[in-house]
């Protein structure tokens, strides 16, 4: 029974230690991140994303894989949208004109592909690195 | 690895929720059948009015005499049980996942607040464990299983906290978080966690006996 | 070595008193019989309710605060309600009935003498688990194993043979009533104790100790009935006793027989309602428990406890108080009429109508501490009296704190138990029934039919 007490004490210690050191993690500032300025009050730091490195590693050459253009419900083949920000179509909240909100668009764009190819980060903190 | 994550965050979530809900329904059906077969007299006394009277009286903080006699335990217990629902249901990360899957969304807690509430849940569990060690009448009743229950509830909260802060083993931590959360759901119908539905039932029966037959309060 | 000690985690530290019936009963038992009996009761005589109570308990220990035994024994956990369940039912379930005679000696002691089945703990358990029911289930098992304590078993034997608790013979019963009638007629010239009056408004019923050694209570009741001009009767045949000790030993078969004989007597006399003297367990037996054994959700007759009856007589002006009682009084709420029937406020109104200065005791009403005697505990008799006094310490402190001269206890079991407490702890209080005080203070009207 004392063992349980010690165990609980250990967990408590772990918590305090972890909270105390949580703001001192260095070295993430220089990472290349996605721009979060379109969000009102982002709760997490922007996703870490090196555009050219990613595409090179993933072997993506066509821009419209990500920078697609939709006409109502159908994707317009051959056209791409790399000159306009994602938030131009994907509003912050889903609405009848655009069913996919900005954050969902980002999440699905990256993660679905990573799941399909079984490569790359898929968990929240793997992109939103603190 | 991504395929495994896709499984525990996809089909496994469905399985866990199905076991949780169907398990509880199954448990209730067994009880009702059992009552019909062996103790149908229960219906002679059960009353909706007095059941609800008793349940609501016991939901009001510090209304029952018992709660006033052990205020610290009850206060922590109330907060703990509320947070057990509030934190997971209103956690932004969870809502984001639900939103992506079902286009549903609702009010989300601020991440920092959720973080603090998580620590409170774990501290409450530590309090329960210490209480089991130190209060003689509780210690006397406590068996190993009671600690196992506390640890099982603590796991999703501890792993969730550690994962959120990305301290170490991030990927493993999230996987542990998802699996332990599903474990809790799966265990609810088959363990003492079932007091989630059993307690209102026993309360309802006692409340009905006190209201209908005894004409007295039971709080 | 055979597995003798059942109790790695429940050490039998206290070798408590038992009595010869328990010891002789234990000596007759074989491991097979113990196992079969326990499993037979647990499998065939319990159901989803029992299962829910055992499964749902989270071992939180909050019930402890409710228990007179726990509080009086310096918060010894083995006296807490759930602690008693742990030492009895849990282990029987865990061992699947394979328990030793040492275990049973302890179990019968706990269930019969360390729990008054007062149900106070059900009001402290957040889930409303009925621990008294679980203790009664232990008593049921003890009954089937024939290890019920001697004195209470004797009262059950008496019930079985005579339909009353005290071996009162039929002629003695009638003789006692006529004797009381004769005495009372010196004070009230045309007073009657009408026997077997078919169609009377009220059947008045008492417990067997009244004719046996408290006949004056029947005298008092008769004078109150007379002064109030009530159309009443008492039965001359077996079935007059409303007490039911079998209810407390788990002898459900005899318990049902007793209740049936009682209701049938009232039915034979075609009375409108049953009024009963100041007894708690008897009230529980005919208002709440006995009816269930004979298949009625609620009693087939209107059952009125003395408190409610006095309240009706006083508020309707059928009896008037000549001079209010002067001494300071306090009121003990018996479990079976307060927590068991919600008569606590009425009891206070009656007390205030007949007494000048009423001092409340704390806790009170539904939350009053048990008298420590009810639920068949006092009926286990002298072998256990010393322990009972230790177990009632908190009750004594509660009584003492009121500083009242007189303690009103509208229940026979409470009354006897509280008298023991008052003597043992030198409390210098008089214990009285409400009827005693009403008799003392009422206008002794002589009732003439037609008035």
């Amino acid at each position: 029974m004392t063992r349980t007490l010690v165990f609980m004490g250990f967990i408590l210690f772990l918590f305090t230690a972890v909270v105390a050191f949580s703001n001192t993690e260095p070295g993430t500032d220089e990472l290349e991140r996605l721009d979060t300025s379109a969000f009102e009050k982002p709760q997490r730091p922007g996703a870490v994303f090196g555009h050219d490195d990613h595409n090179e590693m993933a072997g993506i050459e066509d821009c419209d894989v990500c920078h697609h253009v939709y006409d109502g419900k159908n994707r317009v083949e051959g056209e791409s949208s790399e000159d306009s920000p994602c938030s131009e179509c994907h509003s912050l909240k889903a609405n009848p004109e655009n069913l996919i909100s900005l954050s969902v668009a980002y999440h699905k764009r990256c993660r679905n592909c990573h799941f399909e190819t079984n490569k790359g980060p898929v968990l929240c903190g793997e992109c939103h690195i603190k | 690895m991504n395929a495994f994550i896709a499984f525990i965050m996809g089909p496994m979530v469905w399985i866990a929720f199905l076991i949780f809900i169907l398990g509880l329904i199954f448990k209730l059906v067994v009880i009702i059948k059992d009552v019909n077969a062996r103790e149908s007299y229960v219906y002679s006394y059960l009353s909706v009015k007095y059941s609800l009277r008793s349940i609501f009286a016991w939901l009001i903080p510090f209304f029952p005499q018992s709660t006033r006699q052990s205020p610290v335990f009850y206060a922590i217990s109330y907060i703990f049980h509320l947070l057990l629902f509030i934190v997971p249901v209103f956690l932004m990360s969870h809502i984001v996942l639900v939103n992506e899957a079902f286009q549903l969304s609702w009010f989300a807690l601020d991440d920092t607040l959720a973080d603090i509430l998580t620590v409170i849940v774990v501290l409450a569990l530590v309090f329960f464990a210490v209480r089991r060690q130190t209060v003689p009448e509780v210690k006397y009743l406590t068996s190993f299983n009671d600690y196992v229950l506390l640890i099982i509830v603590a796991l999703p909260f501890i792993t969730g906290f550690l994962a959120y802060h990305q301290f170490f083993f991030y990927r493993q931590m999230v996987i542990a978080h998802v699996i332990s959360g599903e474990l809790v759901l799966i265990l609810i119908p088959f363990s003492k966690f079932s007091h989630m539905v059993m307690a209102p039932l026993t309360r309802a029966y006692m409340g009905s006996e006190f209201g209908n037959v005894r004409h007295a309060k039971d709080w | 070595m055979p597995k003798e000690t059942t109790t790695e985690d429940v050490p039998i530290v206290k070798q408590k008193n038992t009595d010869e019936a328990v010891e002789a009963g234990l000596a007759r038992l074989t491991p097979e019989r113990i196992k079969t009996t326990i499993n037979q009761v647990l499998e065939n005589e319990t159901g989803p309710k029992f299962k829910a109570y055992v499964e749902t308990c989270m071992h939180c220990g909050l019930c402890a605060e409710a228990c007179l035994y726990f509080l009086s024994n310096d918060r010894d956990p083995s006296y807490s309600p759930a602690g008693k369940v742990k030492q009895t039912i849990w282990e029987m379930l865990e061992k699947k009935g394979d328990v030793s005679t040492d275990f049973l000696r302890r179990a019968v002691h706990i269930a019969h003498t360390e729990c008054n089945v007062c149900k106070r703990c059900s009001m402290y358990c957040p889930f409303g688990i009925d621990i008294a029911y679980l203790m009664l289930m232990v008593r049921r098992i003890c009954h089937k194993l024939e290890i019920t304590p001697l004195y209470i078993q004797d009262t059950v034997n008496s019930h079985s043979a005579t339909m009353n608790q005290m071996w009162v013979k039929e002629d003695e019963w009638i003789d006692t009533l006529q004797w009381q009638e004769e005495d009372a007629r010196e004070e009230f010239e045309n007073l009657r104790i009408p026997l077997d009056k078919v169609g009377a408004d009220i059947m008045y019923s008492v417990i067997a100790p009244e004719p046996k050694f408290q006949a004056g209570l029947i005298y008092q009741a008769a004078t109150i009935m007379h002064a109030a001009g009530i159309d009443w009767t008492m039965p001359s045949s077996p079935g007059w006793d409303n007490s039911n000790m079998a209810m407390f030993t788990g002898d459900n078969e005899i318990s049902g027989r007793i209740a049936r004989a009682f209701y049938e007597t009232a039915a034979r006399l075609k009375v409108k309602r049953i009024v009963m003297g100041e007894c708690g367990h008897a009230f529980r037996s005919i208002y709440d428990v006995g009816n269930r054994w004979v298949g009625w959700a609620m009693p087939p007759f209107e059952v009125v406890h003395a408190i409610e009856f006095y309240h009706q007589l006083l508020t309707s002006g059928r009896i008037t108080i000549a001079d209010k009682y002067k001494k300071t009084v306090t009121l003990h709420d018996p479990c079976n009429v307060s927590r068991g029937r919600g008569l606590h406020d009425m009891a206070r109104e009656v007390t205030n109508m007949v007494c000048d200065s009423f001092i409340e005791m704390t806790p009170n009403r539904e939350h009053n501490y048990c008298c420590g005697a009810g639920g068949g505990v006092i009926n286990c008799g002298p072998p256990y009296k010393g322990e009972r006094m230790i177990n009632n310490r908190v009750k004594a402190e509660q009584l003492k704190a009121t500083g009242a001269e007189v303690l009103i206890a509208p229940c026979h079991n409470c009354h006897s138990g509280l008298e023991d407490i008052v003597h043992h702890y030198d409390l210098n209080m008089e214990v009285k029934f409400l009827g005693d005080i009403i008799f003392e203070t009422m206008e002794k009207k002589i009732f003439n039919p037609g008035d």
Side-chain angles (χ1 to χ4, degrees), chain A residues 1 4 12 15 18-19 43-44 104 107-108 111 114-115 118-120 122-126 128-130, chain B residues 2-3 5-6 9 92-93 96-97 99-100 110-111 119 122-123 133 147 161 164 166-167 170-171 174:
Chain A
M1 294 298 121
T4 325
L12 194 65
F15 259 71
V18 141
V19 174
Q43 297 264 325
R44 305 276 166 110
V104 174
H107 289 155
K108 287 198 159 177
R111 220 181 42 186
H114 293 166
F115 272 132
N118 203 14
K119 277 176 196 152
V122 292
L123 301 171
C124 312
E126 290 177 327
H128 299 284
I129 294 169
K130 292 216 165 185
Chain B
N2 280 6
I5 293 174
M9 290 179 74
M92 199 197 63
S93 316
V96 164
L97 291 172
N99 183 236
E100 285 162 20
D110 181 82
D111 268 350
V119 175
V122 177
L123 290 179
Q133 284 291 313
Y147 292 109
F161 177 88
Y164 169 72
Q166 302 173 14
F167 294 126
Y170 178 76
R171 196 159 245 238
V174 176

Side-chain angles (χ1 to χ4, degrees), chain C residues 89-158:
Chain C
I89 292 282
W90 289 358
E91 190 150 340
M92 288 180 190
L93 286 169
E94 206 173 294
K95 299 242 160 83
K96 298 191 169 59
D98 211 352
V99 295
S100 70
T101 49
D102 281 341
F103 170 87
L104 288 172
R105 183 179 287 109
R106 180 85 190 107
V108 72
H109 196 97
I110 291 170
H112 265 288
T113 69
E114 291 174 7
C115 172
N116 295 92
V117 291
C118 77
K119 290 202 202 231
R120 192 173 192 255
C121 45
S122 296
M123 302 172 67
Y124 286 73
C125 168
F127 301 167
I129 292 175
D130 193 346
I131 296 167
Y133 162 80
L134 299 178
M135 283 299 112
L136 286 171
M137 203 50 79
V138 179
R139 294 190 191 179
R140 171 71 174 163
I141 288 167
C142 294
H143 157 69
K144 295 222 120 191
L145 291 169
E146 299 178 276
I147 51 173
T148 302
L150 181 67
Y151 281 76
I152 193 167
Q153 183 58 50
D154 181 69
T155 62
V156 178
N157 295 350
S158 169

Side-chain angles (χ1 to χ4, degrees), chain A residues 99-111:
Chain A
L99 294 170
I100 299 170
S101 73
L102 184 59
S103 68
V104 174
Y106 271 124
H107 289 155
K108 287 198 159 177
R109 178 83 263 129
C110 303
R111 220 181 42 186

